[in-house]
Amino acid sequence: MTPIPPHPPETAQTLNLTINGRQVSAQAGETILEAARANDIFIPTLCFLEGLSAQGSCRLCMVEIAGSAKLHPACVTRIQEGMEVTTETERLRDYRRNIIELLFSERNHVCAVCVASGHCELQDLASELGVDHISFPCRYPTLAVDASHRRFVLDHNRCILCTRCVRVCAEIEGAHTWDVKNRGIRSLIMADFDAPWGDSETCTGCGKCVHVCPTGALFEKGLAVAEMRKQRPALPTLVANRATEQR
Amino acid sequence: MTQREALQQQAEQRQQVLDAFSHHLLVCAGLGCLHNDEIIKALRKEIAAQGLEQQILVRKAGCMGLCALGPLVLVLPDAVYYQTVTPQDAGEIVAALGKEPVQRLLLPADLPFFSKQQKKVLALSGRIDPENIDDYLAAGGYASAVNAITAMSPPEILRIVGESGLRGRGGAGYPTGLKWATVAQAAGERKYLICNADEGDPGAFMDRSVLESTPHAVLEGMLIAAYAVGAHTGFIYVRAEYPLAVKRLQLAIREAERNRLLGQGVCGTSFDFTVQLRLGAGAFVCGEETALIESIEGRRGTPRPKPPYPAENGLWGSPTLINNVETYANIPLIIARGAAWFAAQGTEQSKGTKVFALTGRIKHAGLVEVPMGMTLREIVFEIGGGIPDGHAFKAVQTGGPSGGCIPAEHLDAPISYESLSALGSIMGSGGMIVMDDTSNMVDIVKYFMEFCMEESCGKCVPCRVGTAQIHSLLQKFCDRQASADDLAALETLCDLVKTTSLCGLGQSAPNPVLSTLKYFRQEYLDRMADPSGPHQEGQL
């Protein structure tokens, strides 16, 4: 998880590019995703969250760039002068739908009994991209729920391993309570050296991880179905304020 | 006396010592050859018993290549190879020196396994003691590095490496000269050099053998590279599962430092270069350069998105040159003999030779080095001696779990980065697994997919979940439960994983499936739930 280097504001140079045929301009050093969002062009994302380092792991923000046979993740690809970006094609839509389907098939995502239903980014994207069924067999793994923390719960069944919690804890809170254990399909979020969350010696109980979590994997205790409303902490403001203080 | 002259003298002294013996017995002492320690002991005991210590020298040597018939013993100057030697054979071997060789153990002198190969990188493998720097010096070792550092300028070296046409031997085949030039030009005070020795393909042992046989050649290549790009710290990232390679590298680094070929003021110049070892814990993904860098930095070995490439933003954010073991081992030869010598071999786009680990259903399994452009047929049927037990050739898998299966109709394809890629496989690092008619391709592919699923780091969704889903689908074929829909889903998933995965592991994981769907599709159809039923492929 290496943050892509922050773009230096001193070299602010305006670049022109086209996104979906529309001419837009953006600052050198910005990513395709930033340029698109500044121009109200929607690109789906799950692992990306403004204020955290981008890691390009969910692969939903893949876009086409003229002259390149490959697809490029918009969250970590810097714009270039004259770049021609396409964010919506049937091919991209198919890939995005397939990725959402893979995520649903990976664990036990049952919206009807989920605390985050109605406020879930995975659910929203599925609806946005028209995913109305899952073409792959669901794996239904047997996964634990860690309710050892006084105020919060970690439900691995709903986790999509976006690692926003890992990054917010390490980069913003500075506690680095969370990390990933195992690898591949067996990967799991863990607290400290695989301790029950409630026994964690580093967790400050700040709750940032709960609120950046896009699904119902991290939630506040005592809430029933559809009651967990996530309030994204004002990460960009926090980051900007800190940068000013440090200067 | 300058450092150069001192090394020269050291080399000559060693050569005099070696020349004083009438016979040398070299014993293959790689990790794969069992009992080689006992063979060495038995030979020495026999020689001592006959009072021939002043005439016959027993030396341990690196891999001689023909692993299927190992351990081998090479008799010099007669150049006679003995096969499958045991400690009990010592008496006969010593008694036969200077007389008729032991027929029972003799390998035919004209064996195509040896005569068809062109050993460049492996020229000293099996000919020198890997644990003795003087042996390497006596064979002309480190002359290229000393010459480069004391008499050549970095741009001159970059030009030679560029003109040679050498491409990365780790698998992707990126032009080495271009990579070096990028690092040399990259802005930044501090630059790093990495040797990727995290060889992880099942059945591959090229890099292990090179490290075990000629560790100094790899160090020499790194030294030249460091001087050319301006790096002062190098890391060798080697798997902990290669204990002998690690031990020999540690020794080689110590000996090179003692001879002032590494460390402060290399060869009496102002150039500093230190090399450290980093042991990998066996994760396949750590062979991916950015995951390897994360691992050296002390983090979880997961790949970073590229760009930025390591050449600009690598280890701890500094410009980093990362090359494979075999790539570095080629460098001293190119500097010694010139770009034209290197470029004279191979094909238009792929120059030089390539080391392969030839395994599977083949008579002469082992380590081979062939010029680029040689056909698969020559490698399998001449060098490899063909398929044992009267079975028929079915396919050859190149590039391990990232490669594809090439069928008999393409056996005349020449070995090059382009031709293998056109056939749906890859050069990879040099694993070559031969399969005969007893292998079922769906089983083989399921094995490779299981490997990729187990080794996926889990960072990106397509690779983490996609490989697991593909594996489940392949299991259905193996259980004869698959439907036409499953075949369609298999193709959709392979395309998704190949196109959208973050790193090379995921991007190449579907290759075995895709290549067998292309060349051995009938085997999938035969394993469907009811191949004659309504779900015929045409009705998809």
Side-chain angles (χ1 to χ4, degrees):
Chain A
M1 191 189 343
T2 304
I4 51 172
H7 26 86
E10 297 81 19
T11 58
Q13 182 201 352
T14 305
L15 300 179
N16 300 303
L17 64 156
T18 63
I19 303 181
N20 301 337
R22 238 175 85 189
Q23 292 215 322
V24 300
S25 50
Q27 301 299 306
E30 284 189 320
T31 61
I32 294 173
L33 184 65
E34 286 171 311
R37 292 210 166 156
N39 288 280
D40 289 328
I41 296 166
F42 170 75
I43 298 176
T45 54
L46 264 180
C47 65
F48 178 83
L49 189 65
E50 196 179 348
L52 300 182
S53 62
Q55 61 170 13
S57 68
C58 74
R59 315 309 277 174
L60 282 168
C61 69
M62 302 287 267
V63 297
E64 293 177 6
I65 299 175
S68 166
K70 283 189 187 170
L71 302 180
H72 301 263
C75 68
V76 290
T77 307
R78 304 234 177 267
I79 55 159
Q80 280 170 13
E81 179 65 32
M83 205 178 229
E84 292 173 38
V85 180
T86 309
T87 69
E88 284 293 332
T89 63
E90 199 45 49
R91 178 178 175 229
L92 289 174
R93 231 181 142 75
D94 282 346
Y95 284 143
R96 287 170 187 162
R97 266 199 293 259
N98 281 333
I99 289 171
I100 295 286
E101 288 179 46
L102 283 181
L103 282 173
F104 272 105
S105 77
E106 187 180 11
R107 293 191 179 177
N108 303 298
H109 294 281
V110 189
C111 300
V113 293
C114 179
V115 281
S117 186
H119 319 287
C120 168
E121 292 183 42
L122 180 65
Q123 196 181 34
D124 290 350
L125 276 179
S127 149
E128 173 74 34
L129 294 166
V131 177
D132 48 15
H133 69 289
I134 303 164
S135 339
F136 315 114
C138 289
R139 298 176 57 82
Y140 299 130
T142 307
L143 293 172
V145 175
D146 181 352
S148 60
H149 195 277
R150 193 169 50 83
R151 291 165 54 208
F152 309 120
V153 181
L154 164 60
D155 183 354
H156 291 293
N157 294 288
R158 310 279 198 250
C159 175
I160 57 168
L161 294 165
C162 68
T163 71
R164 282 186 190 178
C165 54
V166 177
R167 285 174 284 155
V168 81
C169 189
E171 296 169 16
I172 307 293
E173 181 62 9
H176 206 142
T177 299
W178 296 119
D179 217 318
V180 181
K181 73 165 178 176
N182 303 342
R183 66 177 177 228
I185 196 74
R186 282 196 280 270
S187 302
L188 287 173
I189 296 294
M190 65 165 182
D192 290 358
F193 289 110
D194 205 11
W197 191 1
D199 295 347
S200 165
E201 290 174 1
T202 58
C203 176
T204 62
C206 75
K208 288 191 184 69
C209 53
V210 173
H211 287 277
V212 297
C213 172
T215 68
L218 290 169
F219 59 93
E220 288 172 1
K221 264 189 182 167
L223 298 179
V225 170
E227 286 185 351
M228 180 67 218
R229 286 171 180 276
K230 305 273 172 129
Q231 282 148 15
R232 303 271 170 267
L235 297 181
T237 318
L238 243 164
V239 173
N241 288 349
R242 250 183 225 176
T244 321
E245 280 166 28
Q246 281 166 6
R247 218 169 273 155
Chain B
M1 188 162 59
T2 66
Q3 176 74 7
R4 193 180 188 145
E5 289 159 350
L7 288 170
Q8 185 69 36
Q9 196 179 33
Q10 207 169 325
E12 281 162 10
Q13 279 168 0
R14 177 65 182 167
Q15 194 58 51
Q16 278 167 12
V17 170
L18 295 177
D19 288 346
F21 293 90
S22 66
H23 284 94
H24 290 195
L25 293 174
L26 287 116
V27 182
C28 203
L31 192 64
C33 281
L34 302 170
H35 309 303
N36 48 45
D37 278 349
E38 285 93 33
I39 295 168
I40 291 172
K41 267 185 219 147
L43 286 169
R44 287 198 174 132
K45 199 173 154 199
E46 186 64 33
I47 289 163
Q50 304 198 17
L52 296 169
E53 291 104 321
Q54 304 304 314
Q55 287 90 51
I56 304 167
L57 177 66
V58 180
R59 295 158 72 196
K60 68 165 79 168
C63 183
M64 297 179 190
L66 190 44
C67 307
L69 299 176
L72 298 182
V73 172
L74 172 63
V75 184
L76 291 178
D78 317 39
V80 164
Y81 281 103
Y82 289 127
Q83 57 176 318
T84 50
V85 177
T86 62
Q88 290 73 42
D89 299 327
E92 257 183 282
I93 290 174
V94 173
L97 288 176
K99 306 186 195 103
E100 271 297 292
V102 186
Q103 292 302 321
R104 182 172 63 81
L105 301 170
L106 191 63
L107 266 183
D110 55 351
L111 204 64
F113 182 88
F114 292 110
S115 61
K116 287 281 286 183
Q117 287 193 57
Q118 291 196 21
K119 293 194 177 188
K120 303 284 192 285
V121 168
L122 299 180
L124 294 178
S125 178
R127 296 274 173 163
I128 61 169
D129 181 351
E131 296 180 7
N132 188 335
I133 192 173
D134 291 342
D135 263 27
Y136 186 65
L137 289 170
Y142 284 111
S144 293
V146 172
N147 190 33
I149 292 169
T150 56
M152 291 166 84
S153 69
E156 204 177 337
I157 297 170
L158 294 176
R159 185 182 54 75
I160 293 171
V161 174
E163 283 174 2
S164 74
L166 175 65
R167 293 170 62 177
R169 296 298 193 236
Y174 190 79
T176 306
L178 210 55
K179 196 187 256 186
W180 287 27
T182 311
V183 179
Q185 283 157 19
E189 278 292 289
R190 192 185 294 268
K191 291 177 188 174
Y192 291 103
L193 198 79
I194 298 175
C195 173
N196 184 348
D198 193 55
E199 179 174 63
D201 291 356
F205 49 88
M206 303 75 56
D207 294 346
R208 173 172 69 74
S209 295
V210 171
L211 291 172
E212 285 175 2
S213 306
T214 52
H216 285 288
V218 180
L219 290 180
E220 187 179 3
M222 290 179 72
L223 181 56
I224 297 167
Y227 174 71
V229 303
H232 301 292
T233 308
F235 293 93
I236 302 177
Y237 189 90
V238 56
R239 336 178 56 197
E241 292 95 325
Y242 284 176
L244 188 62
V246 171
K247 184 186 138 206
R248 289 187 178 162
L249 275 171
Q250 283 168 335
L251 184 68
I253 292 170
R254 256 202 319 275
E255 287 206 303
E257 281 171 350
R258 201 162 45 226
N259 287 282
R260 294 181 62 201
L261 289 159
L262 287 177
Q264 303 288 310
V266 175
C267 300
T269 67
S270 60
F271 177 68
D272 305 334
F273 183 58
T274 55
V275 173
Q276 300 174 27
L277 288 188
R278 286 290 181 275
L279 301 195
F284 181 62
V285 73
C286 286
E288 198 282 337
E289 54 184 10
T290 59
L292 187 156
I293 287 171
E294 289 275 307
S295 177
I296 292 184
E297 289 181 4
R299 283 197 287 270
R300 216 175 131 75
T302 58
R304 304 172 180 174
K306 293 188 278 190
Y309 290 93
E312 285 159 345
N313 186 338
L315 195 55
W316 292 298
S318 297
T320 303
L321 176 67
I322 174 161
N323 277 139
N324 161 270
V325 169
E326 193 185 331
T327 312
Y328 283 124
N330 267 295
I331 298 298
L333 306 172
I334 293 173
I335 296 299
R337 305 194 203 175
W341 167 82
F342 186 84
Q345 258 187 329
T347 65
E348 188 56 37
Q349 304 279 319
S350 306
K351 302 294 187 194
T353 59
K354 179 77 192 83
V355 179
F356 288 98
L358 194 56
T359 59
R361 299 284 290 170
I362 190 147
K363 271 185 200 148
H364 294 158
L367 188 73
V368 302
E369 181 174 0
V370 297
M372 296 275 195
M374 183 178 269
T375 64
L376 285 164
R377 187 184 300 280
E378 289 173 280
I379 297 177
V380 172
F381 287 97
E382 297 188 36
I383 293 177
I387 316 295
D389 309 328
H391 284 284
F393 171 89
K394 184 166 189 181
V396 57
Q397 158 97 13
T398 66
S402 315
C405 294
I406 301 170
E409 69 243 43
H410 292 296
L411 268 175
D412 290 311
I415 287 287
S416 72
Y417 292 99
E418 302 72 40
S419 69
L420 289 176
S421 156
L423 291 174
S425 188
I426 57 166
M427 174 77 80
S429 56
M432 198 177 269
I433 304 172
V434 179
M435 293 164 232
D436 69 10
D437 51 16
T438 60
S439 299
N440 181 287
M441 300 320 272
V442 183
D443 293 333
I444 303 256
V445 163
K446 196 189 79 171
Y447 164 77
F448 281 121
M449 192 49 66
E450 184 173 353
F451 180 86
C452 290
M453 175 179 84
E454 294 289 331
E455 295 297 337
S456 165
C457 75
K459 182 171 177 174
C460 78
V461 182
C463 178
R464 181 180 76 231
V465 196
T467 53
Q469 288 287 7
I470 293 174
H471 182 259
S472 313
L473 284 170
L474 291 169
Q475 185 63 54
K476 281 178 92 174
F477 280 93
C478 291
D479 296 342
R480 296 182 190 275
Q481 300 287 316
S483 66
D485 286 349
D486 290 324
L487 188 61
L490 187 63
E491 296 190 306
T492 303
L493 277 171
C494 285
D495 174 45
L496 177 78
V497 174
K498 191 178 171 78
T499 314
T500 63
S501 289
L502 197 161
C503 82
L505 194 162
Q507 288 162 10
S508 60
N511 283 349
V513 186
L514 291 169
S515 64
T516 49
L517 279 171
K518 187 171 161 192
Y519 298 122
F520 300 96
R521 198 175 187 86
Q522 194 56 45
E523 294 194 18
Y524 287 85
L525 299 178
D526 289 348
R527 286 206 164 192
M528 283 179 19
D530 184 11
S532 60
H535 289 294
Q536 282 285 310
E537 203 196 346
Q539 298 172 7
L540 270 179

